[in-house]
């Protein structure tokens, strides 16, 4: 595969272009794509035109580029994450109907120590929730990330705790020993609860979702304003949803086990 003068492959350059788009910037003029990617204008123009010719990008009347329909089609076709999202949606809807708060479905990315959100149902009101569909947040700042990390193998937890952990609020825990103790508590309880960690005014609850071989493959979360917190209402519904989706995904009917979402053999 041909490399550029910078040593990047064609695939790496294409990924840079596709990664330039976001919910806030779904359409980009060529000059902004050049600025965001850091590549030359000629390279960006050539690759963008090739991608557009194959339906992976499209152009609007102003000549701006956006993600094409073909990209959605390819991403949705036989994609295990889309299948997980589809199976999880009825359980999210059940939780949402019961608690009427922000509810989300996410998966772990242990390579980047982040949480990727697949689906979200919003609360009617003004509570702030930073989780966006197809968005990422750091594992240690989210109840979903902590619920999933608590059931990862020891070597995954060790690598996670050895990385750089930054505070988002004063309540964000970044001390590895304290986080390790918190992970043990989450395993014992069966759920994670974080108060004011990502947004100071919010409390977040999460339960892990397991698949075949008792691998932890995701989490269901509820985010509520701390002043409206009602654990007696939230937890039974959330735990039932986590167990139900786990069974749907092929988990055995036994206590929680631990393996990551994708196959990450121990180094």
């Amino acid at each position: 595969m041909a490399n550029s003068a910078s040593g990047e492959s064609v695939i790496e350059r294409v990924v840079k272009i596709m990664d330039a788009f976001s919910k806030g910037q779904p359409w980009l003029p060529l000059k902004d794509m050049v600025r965001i990617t850091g590549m030359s204008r000629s390279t960006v123009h050539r690759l963008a035109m090739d991608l557009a010719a194959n339906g992976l990008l499209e152009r609007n009347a102003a000549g701006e580029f956006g993600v094409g329909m073909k990209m959605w089609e390819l991403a949705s076709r036989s994609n295990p994450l889309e299948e997980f999202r589809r199976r999880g949606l009825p359980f999210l809807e059940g939780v949402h109907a019961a608690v009427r708060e922000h509810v989300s479905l996410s998966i772990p990315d242990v390579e980047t120590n982040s949480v990727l959100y697949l689906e979200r149902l919003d609360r009617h009101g003004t509570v702030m929730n930073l989780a966006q569909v197809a968005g990422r947040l750091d594992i240690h700042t989210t109840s979903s990330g902590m619920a999933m990390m608590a059931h990862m193998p020891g070597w995954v937890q060790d690598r996670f705790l050895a990385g750089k952990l930054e505070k988002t609020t004063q309540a964000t825990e970044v001390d590895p020993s304290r986080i390790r103790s918190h992970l043990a508590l989450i395993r014992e309880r069966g759920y994670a609860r974080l108060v004011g960690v990502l947004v100071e005014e919010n409390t977040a609850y999460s339960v892990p979702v397991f698949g075949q071989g008792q691998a932890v493959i995701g989490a269901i979360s509820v985010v509520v304003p701390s002043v409206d917190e009602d654990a007696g209402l939230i937890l039974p519904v959330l735990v039932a949803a986590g167990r139900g989706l786990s069974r749907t995904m092929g988990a055995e009917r036994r206590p929680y086990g631990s393996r990551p979402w994708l196959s990450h053999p121990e180094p």
Side-chain angles (χ1 to χ4, degrees):
M1 184 177 294
N3 289 344
S4 65
S6 65
E8 293 176 325
S9 68
V10 173
I11 295 297
E12 289 171 327
R13 284 175 280 167
V14 167
V15 170
K16 272 191 173 183
I17 288 176
M18 301 307 299
D19 204 36
F21 300 96
S22 66
K23 287 185 180 293
Q25 294 182 302
W27 295 95
L28 292 171
L30 185 65
K31 63 180 179 64
D32 286 350
M33 295 170 67
V34 170
R35 174 180 56 81
I36 294 170
T37 63
M39 297 187 294
S40 70
R41 181 182 179 87
S42 61
T43 296
V44 173
H45 182 264
R46 173 174 54 82
L47 291 175
M49 293 301 291
D50 285 346
L51 290 167
N54 287 279
L56 300 179
L57 290 181
E58 57 185 60
R59 300 185 76 182
N60 62 20
E64 299 170 322
F65 291 90
V67 177
M69 186 183 302
K70 185 71 172 179
M71 180 62 74
W72 173 86
E73 180 184 354
L74 294 174
S76 299
R77 186 188 302 159
S78 301
N79 188 306
L81 299 187
E82 175 60 23
E83 177 68 10
F84 183 46
R85 187 203 68 80
R86 183 185 66 79
R87 292 189 180 191
L89 185 56
F91 293 95
L92 263 65
E93 290 173 338
V95 175
H96 189 256
V99 303
R100 299 185 180 278
E101 301 287 356
H102 285 293
V103 182
S104 62
L105 178 69
S106 59
I107 62 168
D109 183 346
V110 298
E111 295 300 324
T112 61
N113 286 335
S114 64
V115 174
L116 175 63
Y117 289 87
L118 303 185
E119 186 59 88
R120 178 180 120 167
L121 302 177
D122 290 337
R123 177 195 194 234
H124 297 294
T126 58
V127 63
M128 182 182 296
N129 179 18
L130 299 184
Q132 299 288 338
V133 174
R136 291 174 182 266
L137 293 171
D138 292 337
I139 282 177
H140 72 289
T141 66
T142 65
S143 61
S144 55
M146 292 293 285
M148 293 184 286
M149 183 55 67
H151 297 277
M152 295 287 180
W155 68 268
V156 174
Q157 294 182 6
D158 291 343
R159 188 174 66 179
F160 159 65
L161 293 172
K164 186 177 181 180
L165 304 174
E166 297 183 349
K167 280 184 171 289
T168 52
T169 70
Q170 287 301 312
T172 308
E173 184 58 72
V174 295
D175 179 77
S177 62
R178 291 181 181 272
I179 293 177
R180 194 181 294 278
S181 296
H182 191 190
L183 294 176
L185 179 62
I186 292 169
R187 284 193 299 275
E188 179 182 343
R189 287 177 170 176
Y191 68 91
R193 174 179 177 267
L194 296 185
V195 181
V197 170
L198 195 60
V199 177
E200 291 181 348
E201 298 79 14
N202 287 358
T203 296
Y205 289 86
S206 291
V207 293
V209 176
F210 300 95
Q212 295 181 0
Q214 293 304 107
V216 59
I217 61 175
I220 300 176
S221 304
V222 172
V223 177
V224 303
S226 295
V227 294
D228 297 333
E229 181 183 359
D230 184 353
L233 170 65
I234 295 170
L235 280 175
V237 175
L238 192 57
V239 169
R243 289 175 176 170
L245 182 52
S246 294
R247 287 194 295 270
T248 297
M249 298 305 297
E252 302 169 19
R253 294 172 180 254
R254 63 180 178 82
Y256 294 145
S258 57
R259 278 181 55 193
W261 162 259
L262 298 175
S263 177
H264 293 288
E266 184 172 0

